[in-house]
Amino acid sequence: QVQLVESGGGLVQAGGSLTLSCAASGRTFRAYTMGWFRQAPGKEREFVAAIRWIADNTYYADSVKGRFTISRDNAKNTLYLQMNSLKPEDTAMYYCASKTTIAGSYDYWGQGTQVTVSS
């Protein structure tokens, strides 16, 4: 019913920047919060950042605070993640996700886009 498609991943040098996008589609799409998660090989998935779809509140993991910026374009149903001052430890598969209720977990996920940061 809802499809999320990430794009913008790639290979960048340490200290560089990269912008990820997540396009949401579906006639019944309605999000309370959208967020970004990442998972490195052999590691568990971790939270990166989230944003309220209407209120515009933002939340960041301590590891990316001050370097990453999450934003959204409601009219285009698109989520963004601007990543600056990238570090090798940021290397991971990045996923966007959406949840439609306050109490519920993230119920829709994209396939992911790979971000690799070289030293």
Side-chain angles (χ1 to χ4, degrees):
Q1 189 174 47
V2 175
Q3 183 178 9
L4 303 177
V5 180
E6 302 95 336
S7 62
L11 174 64
V12 298
Q13 300 179 45
S17 299
L18 198 63
T19 300
L20 306 182
S21 299
C22 174
S25 62
R27 67 189 305 269
T28 61
F29 174 74
R30 187 173 53 177
Y32 174 74
T33 302
M34 293 192 71
W36 289 96
F37 295 79
R38 67 186 183 186
Q39 186 170 24
K43 305 295 182 181
E44 296 200 356
R45 182 186 65 197
E46 65 174 339
F47 169 79
V48 176
I51 186 170
R52 296 270 193 89
W53 204 242
I54 301 299
D56 202 34
N57 305 70
T58 57
Y59 312 88
Y60 296 94
D62 289 340
S63 60
V64 306
K65 194 171 185 179
R67 299 188 298 119
F68 291 10
T69 302
I70 188 171
S71 62
R72 81 283 187 274
D73 187 330
N74 297 48
K76 297 181 178 180
N77 288 337
T78 302
L79 180 72
Y80 303 96
L81 183 67
Q82 175 66 48
M83 305 182 293
N84 298 322
S85 302
L86 283 163
K87 305 175 181 179
E89 50 262 45
D90 293 319
T91 295
M93 183 72 76
Y94 283 71
Y95 302 89
C96 70
S98 172
K99 68 175 181 177
T100 56
T101 64
I102 297 175
S105 60
Y106 286 87
D107 45 3
Y108 296 103
W109 295 81
Q111 295 283 8
T113 185
Q114 179 68 39
V115 172
T116 302
V117 184
S118 61
S119 60

